[in-house]
């Protein structure tokens, strides 16, 4: 009997010893990884902003969010008010994911053809809708099609929003191949590039995982527009 108890105790002791060794290995590994992480080097990497216009889209918005999360990237979504009204839950998904929401007007009209009052309606109505649903105020505004004039710039400023265009146009709404979209970005990308993409294009969605990986391989951090504007002091 005494022998059996001794044997059982020995097993327990050995088992707890192994368990403790494993736990200490895990925590040592985690600590080592963390302490070796070079924040300075990370923050000094070149940055770029992916932007997705014209959503929220009933299928593509969630798919884009999922890819961004899987690939460890952030982006900015320029949303259209009439779409937001139909899919408010998708706007919330964007907000909760830590990606940024930008104002792309209520109707997606060519603002250069509207008077100041109509431009104000387009910007303000969407801004208020975004605020009501998410509690967030968009910091950036993008005129549909990139069409703007003095009125548009002034009204956006009066609404406290900065106009944000882009530096790389992928022409993705013309539905080129995914390879074309990737090539267009990879051949033109530089530090602080702002890349124009759209939410409802299958070729853009297909291009996205590979494109993000290639951009990361080139050393880029993929951040929101607000983070791009911060000057690199934060991730
Ligand atoms: Zn648009």
């Amino acid at each position: 009997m005494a022998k059996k108890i001794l044997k059982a105790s020995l097993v327990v002791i050995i088992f707890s010893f192994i368990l403790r060794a494993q736990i200490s290995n895990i925590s040592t590994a985690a600590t080592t990884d963390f302490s070796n992480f070079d924040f300075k080097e990370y923050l000094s990497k070149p940055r770029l902003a992916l932007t997705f216009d014209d959503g929220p889209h009933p299928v593509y918005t969630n798919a884009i969010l999922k890819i961004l999360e899987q690939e460890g990237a952030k982006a900015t979504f320029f949303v259209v008010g009439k779409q937001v009204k139909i899919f408010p839950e998708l706007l919330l998904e964007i907000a909760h994911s830590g990606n940024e929401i930008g104002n792309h007007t209520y109707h997606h009209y060519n603002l250069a053809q509207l008077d100041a009052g109509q431009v104000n309606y387009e910007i303000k109505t969407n801004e208020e809708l975004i605020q009501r649903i998410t509690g967030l105020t968009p910091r950036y505004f993008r005129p549909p099609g990139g069409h703007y004039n003095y009125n548009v710039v002034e009204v956006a400023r009066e609404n406290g929003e900065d106009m944000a265009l882009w530096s790389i146009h992928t022409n993705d709404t013309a539905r080129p191949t995914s390879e074309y979209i990737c090539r267009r970005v990879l051949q033109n990308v530089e530090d602080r590039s702002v890349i124009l993409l759209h939410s409802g294009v299958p070729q853009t969605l297909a291009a996205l995982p590979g494109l993000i990986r290639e951009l990361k391989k080139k050393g880029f951090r993929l951040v929101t527009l607000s983070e791009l504007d911060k000057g690199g002091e934060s991730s």
Side-chain angles (χ1 to χ4, degrees):
M1 182 69 173
K3 242 183 175 179
K4 258 190 184 169
I5 292 171
L6 185 69
K7 214 173 165 188
S9 312
L10 257 178
V11 169
V12 170
I13 291 166
I14 291 168
F15 180 72
S16 66
F17 180 78
I18 292 169
L19 194 68
R20 231 178 294 158
Q22 277 181 348
I23 289 169
S24 100
N25 269 348
I26 291 165
S27 61
T28 309
T31 313
T32 311
D33 283 345
F34 187 69
S35 63
N36 279 348
F37 189 79
D38 190 340
F39 283 103
K40 224 173 166 184
E41 190 260 325
Y42 177 72
L43 293 175
S44 68
K45 281 182 172 187
R47 291 162 300 146
L48 62 85
L50 295 180
T51 62
F52 295 92
D53 287 13
D54 300 356
H57 185 283
V59 176
Y60 290 87
T61 298
N62 263 329
I64 293 168
L65 288 174
K66 204 168 168 192
I67 293 169
L68 291 173
E69 193 189 349
Q70 279 166 353
E71 303 298 333
K74 288 279 185 275
T76 302
F77 291 76
F78 281 95
V79 297
V80 177
K82 60 179 183 179
Q83 291 289 111
V84 170
K85 214 164 179 183
I86 306 170
F87 308 109
E89 71 286 353
L90 291 176
L91 190 75
L92 274 174
E93 296 255 356
I94 299 171
H96 292 158
S97 67
N99 290 285
E100 186 161 18
I101 293 169
N103 185 350
H104 200 36
T105 74
Y106 189 80
H107 287 105
H108 204 270
Y109 294 150
N110 179 345
L111 298 184
Q113 294 175 349
L114 304 183
D115 65 35
Q118 292 167 318
V119 171
N120 188 56
Y121 177 88
E122 286 296 313
I123 295 175
K124 194 82 192 162
T125 311
N126 196 25
E127 183 184 297
E128 286 173 354
L129 192 58
I130 293 167
Q131 282 170 336
R132 232 183 7 258
I133 295 167
T134 66
L136 301 168
T137 302
R139 180 173 164 190
Y140 299 97
F141 148 78
R142 175 173 287 167
H147 302 297
Y148 69 96
N149 55 21
Y150 177 77
N151 271 344
V152 175
V153 177
E154 273 307 293
V155 172
R157 211 198 325 259
E158 280 162 19
N159 280 290
E161 295 184 17
D162 294 331
M163 196 167 78
L165 295 174
W166 55 82
S167 60
I168 299 177
H169 195 318
T170 58
N171 291 319
D172 64 340
T173 47
R175 311 272 170 126
T177 62
S178 298
E179 291 73 25
Y180 173 89
I181 295 169
C182 286
R183 209 167 47 243
R184 200 68 197 169
V185 174
L186 294 169
Q187 285 177 352
N188 295 291
V189 70
E190 54 188 10
D191 191 18
R192 304 183 66 78
S193 283
V194 176
I195 299 160
L196 173 64
L197 298 158
H198 290 83
S199 291
V201 183
Q203 290 83 349
T204 301
L205 192 70
L208 203 53
L211 177 61
I212 293 175
R213 276 177 226 148
E214 285 303 314
L215 289 168
K216 284 178 138 184
K217 249 192 246 167
K218 279 175 170 269
F220 285 95
R221 279 199 295 140
L222 282 71
V223 300
T224 62
L225 276 176
S226 284
E227 286 163 350
L228 197 68
D229 267 350
K230 274 186 196 164
E233 81 273 16
S234 172
S235 65

